[in-house]
Amino acid sequence: MATLLFRFTHVSEEEAWEVRQLLAEQGFDTYETHAGFWRLGVDAIWLRDASQLEAAREVLARYQAERQERVQQEHADQVEHGQAPTLWQRLRQHPLQMLLVALAVVAMLALTLVPFLGLIEA
């Protein structure tokens, strides 16, 4: 019976490609599923042979630890060289997105505070 091995939720295409490549190099018998048009399924890699599960998880754990270390080092290098994106740079690059986020925060605050404003008597 197939076993869920790796979900693609919040995974970059680069990382997904690296995981596919790693599992193929290690000789694991896998297949992929896609969530489909209505997103009712699961975007994931499944392992066909459950007896390989522990070995596959060890390989993935080692890969993810190495990837985490590499990405953290890349970010530290960007910060050191002043190339890491700051809040203001992101605001300039995506002004509409930042405006919508700010409006959503204000709307949530208003919805939670408005009932209590009626309790205050002037």
Side-chain angles (χ1 to χ4, degrees):
M1 183 171 173
T3 306
L4 178 64
L5 184 61
F6 188 82
R7 289 181 189 259
F8 289 129
T9 309
H10 306 297
V11 173
S12 68
E13 187 59 38
E14 173 194 0
E15 183 177 0
W17 182 83
E18 288 176 357
V19 168
R20 288 182 195 108
Q21 193 76 15
L22 177 67
L23 293 173
E25 287 172 359
Q26 296 292 325
F28 294 111
D29 187 16
T30 62
Y31 68 94
E32 288 187 38
T33 56
H34 301 282
F37 181 75
W38 298 105
R39 310 299 301 159
L40 297 175
V42 178
D43 286 327
I45 294 177
W46 297 77
L47 190 62
R48 290 183 201 271
D49 185 4
S51 66
Q52 296 178 325
L53 183 60
E54 288 304 315
R57 284 190 175 160
E58 287 176 15
V59 167
L60 282 176
R62 201 170 36 248
Y63 161 76
Q64 288 177 333
E66 291 169 2
R67 180 173 172 81
Q68 179 182 9
E69 185 178 321
R70 185 178 74 233
V71 169
Q72 286 178 342
Q73 184 61 42
E74 289 171 3
H75 179 70
D77 291 343
Q78 286 180 344
V79 169
E80 184 178 322
H81 294 98
Q83 297 171 345
T86 64
L87 176 64
W88 298 113
Q89 289 172 339
R90 289 182 186 183
L91 178 62
R92 281 186 295 182
Q93 290 173 352
H94 307 285
L96 183 61
Q97 182 181 5
M98 296 294 280
L99 178 65
L100 291 175
V101 168
L103 289 174
V105 168
V106 168
M108 284 187 273
L109 282 172
L111 287 173
T112 55
L113 295 178
V114 164
F116 295 104
L117 293 177
L119 297 175
I120 300 174
E121 294 180 3

